[in-house]
Amino acid sequence: MSRIAYVNGAYVPLAGAAVGIEDRGFQFADGVYEGIAVRKGRLIDLEPHLQRLWRSMGELDMDAPMAVGPMRLVLSEVVRQNRIADGFLYVQVTRGEARRDHAFPAFSRPSLIVTCRRFDYDAVFTRAATGVKAKSVPDIRWGRCDIKSISLLPNVLAKQAARSEGAFEAVLIDTDGNVTEGSSTNVWMVDGTNTLITRATSDNILPGITRAVLADLAAEHQVRVDTRPFSLEEAYQARELFLTSTTSGVMPIVALDGRTIASGRPGPLAGRLLAAYKTHMDSCP
Ligand code: PMP
């Protein structure tokens, strides 16, 4: 079955789906996006993803392409038309097509594209049982990483730097030597007192939806959470280190820059939180 995309008002075969070459997303990365998990046919944490999308558009003075009600329908319809049980839904809004000029155009219609592909969450959960390697990379991004912008070149370069050395994720390090987040994930550590530490969302990182869910689950499980920066040195010495994201769930990091983290095996807290996160996924409406 060929894949179906939604492009500016129409459901079309993905192969050959197109927007104009003067789309500001294409020329200026003037756009925002969301990535949403589909599990057993349901969109996981849809409402917080929609809220973050609307916030991103608002921060960039971008008009929404449609109201939130119709948007919910379009997203579900893309999942349905592609017959996806477990998958990854991608939603992108750009400022639309206009004659090339850096300043906002006087008029442009925002462009909306939605795609969905299969994604094997069970394989991710299996990988979490052994954990992944990560590599630290300088964080060279801009000052508004709270906006989920499609301008991802520093993230792309960081991920590639990690992958070219056989690591799954790049852990980004700011000029103070502190961990900001991953190239497409949030990063957490567990210290010697079993406190979970992760950087505050006010501190130029993406407010991850998985991060927010995990903070709630940690509170439910009486786990202390300290939202503060932590250094690369602290990360090397962590009792546990893990990352969170829509497509990684709760993923233990067992080696960072070739240094083994703790015993080199996923830790118990990450395991408990992953189990709770799976239950959360299964209980989403
Ligand atoms: N940080 C960055 C830079 C990301 O791109 C992502 C993935 N969207 C995340 C964190 C994790 O966010 P979420 O849990 O919403 O997928």
Side-chain angles (χ1 to χ4, degrees):
M1 194 192 89
S2 63
R3 289 175 59 198
I4 302 293
Y6 175 91
V7 183
N8 291 327
Y11 298 91
V12 293
L14 185 98
V19 294
I21 63 168
E22 289 203 301
D23 190 284
R24 290 179 62 92
F26 184 51
Q27 297 195 341
F28 294 111
D30 188 359
V32 297
Y33 75 106
E34 281 297 322
I36 307 174
V38 183
R39 178 76 164 159
K40 297 171 187 164
R42 287 167 296 110
L43 286 158
I44 304 302
D45 296 318
L46 174 61
E47 294 310 316
H49 279 284
L50 290 173
Q51 279 162 20
R52 187 171 64 181
L53 181 62
W54 254 256
R55 177 181 181 277
S56 295
M57 291 189 290
E59 291 298 309
L60 297 178
D61 276 333
M62 201 176 279
D63 292 332
M66 60 178 64
V68 69
M71 176 81 82
R72 280 192 201 99
L73 293 177
V74 167
L75 304 190
S76 306
E77 187 59 15
V78 172
V79 174
R80 195 188 68 77
Q81 290 205 16
N82 285 285
R83 299 192 198 153
I84 300 287
D86 281 12
F88 177 75
L89 184 91
Y90 179 75
V91 186
Q92 176 178 301
V93 181
T94 72
R95 208 179 301 277
E97 262 186 83
R99 192 176 64 110
R100 191 178 186 283
D101 183 11
H102 286 63
F104 294 175
F107 176 80
S108 70
R109 200 168 330 123
S111 161
L112 170 64
I113 63 161
V114 185
T115 59
C116 193
R117 65 176 161 88
R118 275 176 224 295
F119 189 85
D120 188 352
Y121 292 96
D122 294 313
V124 172
F125 301 147
T126 301
R127 183 189 285 156
T130 44
V132 295
K133 295 178 191 162
K135 173 186 160 62
S136 64
V137 176
D139 191 344
I140 59 167
R141 299 173 304 160
W142 69 327
R144 290 303 308 271
C145 296
D146 58 308
I147 300 171
K148 200 161 169 56
S149 142
I150 60 171
S151 175
L152 289 170
L153 194 49
N155 308 60
V156 166
L157 296 177
K159 183 82 86 186
Q160 186 55 31
R163 291 288 166 91
S164 65
E165 291 188 11
F168 175 76
E169 177 59 310
V171 170
L172 305 179
I173 309 297
D174 68 14
T175 49
D176 296 327
N178 290 323
V179 171
T180 52
E181 59 186 322
S183 69
S184 62
T185 57
N186 290 110
V187 180
W188 306 66
M189 65 165 272
V190 180
D191 73 5
T193 68
N194 278 333
T195 302
L196 264 177
I197 305 169
T198 196
R199 199 170 172 117
T201 53
S202 55
D203 204 4
N204 200 32
I205 60 163
L206 186 82
I209 305 300
T210 321
R211 177 192 182 284
V213 169
L214 217 74
D216 288 348
L217 293 173
E220 272 172 37
H221 286 73
Q222 280 83 44
V223 178
R224 273 186 310 277
V225 179
D226 193 359
T227 46
R228 65 162 174 90
F230 58 93
S231 68
L232 181 58
E233 277 310 313
E234 282 180 276
Y236 290 143
Q237 306 298 329
R239 187 173 274 184
E240 296 184 37
L241 195 63
F242 61 86
L243 43 87
T244 56
S245 78
T246 296
T247 51
S248 295
V250 181
M251 183 62 70
I253 297 173
V254 293
L256 176 58
D257 297 335
R259 302 196 194 192
T260 303
I261 304 301
S263 66
R265 284 192 300 275
L269 196 46
R272 272 171 63 203
L273 290 169
L274 175 58
Y277 183 69
K278 282 196 229 174
T279 306
H280 165 79
M281 278 185 117
D282 287 339
S283 63
C284 273

